[in-house]
Structures are given as C-alpha cells and as structure tokens.
Amino acid sequence: MDKNDIYETIFKRKSIRRYDLNSLDDDVLRDIEGEVARLEPLIPDINTDVLIISSEDVKTRMMKKAPHYLAVFSEDEKGYLTNVGYMLQQMDLLFAANGIGCCWQGIPTIKDHVQRRSELKFVILLAFGKPDEPLYRSDIGEFKRKSLDKITDISPTDNNREILKAARLAPSATNSQAWYLSGDDGSIDVYSVKPNFIRSLVAKKYIPIDAGILIYHVMVAAKHMNRNPEIVFKDDVEKKGCNYHASVNMK
C-alpha cells in the first residue's frame, strides 16, 4: 500500500460510517494483512494481536455494518491502551491514503468465536471497507477541533507549527480532544486531561487510546518536517490535572 500521502491525509481524513458491504478484493486484503504485520508499536514489550474479521464476526449493536474490521487484542499492561491507539492510527491513515474508508468503533463487540482466536484482551475495532460516502473532507474548515491555545502551551514556531497543526486534527472518541501538549521546540510531552468522575466512567478506556492516536500524528508530521523524532518516556514530568503518556524528542 502507498504510504507517500500519509502526512497530507491528516488534513482531509474523516471517519466513514457508510460502506459498500461487498468485500474488498483478495489482493487488497492480503496487502492489508502485510501492513498489519508491520505495525510499529509505541511500547514494543506489550504483546498485541490484530485480526482482520468480517461483519459476521461482530455484534454491531447500534452501529452500521462494515464489510471488514480490524479487531485489536492486547496484554493488559501499563500504557497498553495508548499503544493500541498509536498502532491502529497507522492503519487509519494508511487506509484513507489508499482510498479505503475506516472508522474507530468502541460500541460494537466481537463474537465469542473471535475471542477464542487470541489469548489476549479484546480492546477495540476499526471498521473498514469501500466507502459509500465521500472519503475526504472537502475543506479543512470541516474539522471541528479546539484551537491550538486550548490544547498546548507550546508557542508555535517555524520549527513546530505544522507538527502542532497535525496533532490538533487527530480524531478522538466523541471528539472529546482530551489531550494536552507541553514542552518546546526540542521535545513535545503528551498528556491527557483527567476527566471528572462521571465522565471517567466512560472515558477511562478511550482517552488513553486517543493519546496514542495523537502521538502518531506528531510522529508523522515531525518526520515530514525532517525533525528525526524519537519517542521517549520521561520520569520527571507532570502537569496538574493531567496524565502523562509519552514524549516526542526532536533531533
């Protein structure tokens, strides 16, 4: 699959909710299997499984069906949800760059026979297939996102402006955008804002996943800007009202 337009895809991607329910070609599915096998983890020590399944394997509940899904399973270790978000967003952007629609789906669940294919914990689904609606946004103004000053205390400069713009456009569950970026030109620290008690009952799973999605956007944009980014985990960072996830150092 073509990865040349991954960065540009950030600025026009959208979640696709209506699909042509016909299966993708076998050659395309084999290419997708190969890309799944090459996914880069945020935390390499955490074991994961990513399976391609069909609508017959999914309890869709209130969601519209898609012809295919990526079902993600993981060890329940520190940072595993952020790791899943980082990994699966690689497929989200890759799908969109290659004419395939997709959508993160936290409400549907897998059927029992699918769970038996992995010894790990089921986490989330990414629906995908040929879109039955426009694949891209027609204008960047269609994104409904918080302004940069609401999600970061980093001053935009020539070195990081495009990186911060790409981070701002990352998707999140219910479009909550519960992340916060701190640091400077040399290092971006990624946090999520702690939800209140009522919201935490719903959001505690999805907010760390969203942080992983954002980290991948930062990495894609930093590489595009030739900044040679490196993901690190710092021990001495904290911000009141926030949870720390990871940092991206720029060389």
Side-chain angles (χ1 to χ4, degrees), residues 33-231:
E33 281 187 334
E35 296 295 346
V36 166
R38 290 187 289 272
L39 289 175
E40 297 180 4
L42 180 71
I43 307 172
D45 292 339
I46 297 178
N47 289 325
T48 57
D49 287 332
V50 182
L51 306 178
I52 298 177
I53 62 175
S54 73
S55 60
E56 302 304 315
D57 300 316
V58 175
K59 302 173 185 176
T60 55
R61 297 179 176 175
M62 64 186 74
M63 304 295 290
K64 294 181 182 295
K65 286 185 178 182
H68 309 286
Y69 297 81
L70 294 180
V72 187
F73 304 80
S74 176
E75 283 186 295
D76 189 348
E77 299 288 346
K78 180 180 179 181
Y80 81 99
L81 292 172
T82 306
N83 186 58
V84 165
Y86 182 83
M87 293 178 67
L88 208 53
Q89 187 60 11
Q90 295 169 46
M91 294 305 302
D92 180 313
L93 293 181
L94 188 61
F95 281 145
N98 286 273
I100 299 172
C102 67
C103 182
W104 291 78
Q105 294 196 352
I107 294 174
T109 59
I110 55 172
K111 295 182 179 178
D112 291 343
H113 68 273
V114 178
Q115 178 59 72
R116 289 195 290 270
R117 294 173 59 187
S118 177
E119 296 180 351
L120 305 176
K121 176 181 178 179
F122 170 68
V123 181
I124 200 165
L125 295 166
L126 185 72
F128 70 95
K130 183 179 178 181
D132 195 25
E133 61 180 277
L135 178 61
Y136 301 125
R137 300 172 197 264
S138 58
D139 185 87
I140 197 170
E142 293 181 10
F143 284 94
K144 301 195 183 316
R145 297 291 191 268
K146 295 176 181 177
S147 59
L148 277 177
D149 65 318
K150 301 291 186 188
I151 65 166
T152 184
D153 58 14
I154 302 172
S155 298
T157 66
D158 289 343
N159 284 336
N160 67 29
R161 189 180 310 275
E162 298 307 312
I163 296 172
L164 296 176
K165 285 181 179 178
R168 173 180 171 266
L169 297 181
S172 58
T174 66
N175 202 27
S176 64
Q177 305 166 64
W179 42 57
Y180 198 81
L181 306 178
S182 193
D184 53 36
D185 273 354
S187 184
I188 295 177
D189 303 324
V190 179
Y191 300 86
S192 59
V193 179
K194 293 179 180 177
N196 58 36
F197 175 75
I198 294 175
R199 178 160 171 71
S200 69
L201 298 176
V202 177
K204 64 180 180 180
K205 174 180 177 179
Y206 300 111
I207 287 178
I209 292 175
D210 296 341
I213 294 172
L214 179 138
I215 293 168
Y216 185 62
H217 276 221
V218 170
M219 289 292 288
V220 169
K223 289 177 181 178
H224 180 79
M225 303 300 293
N226 297 315
R227 295 295 306 277
N228 296 318
E230 177 187 18
I231 295 172

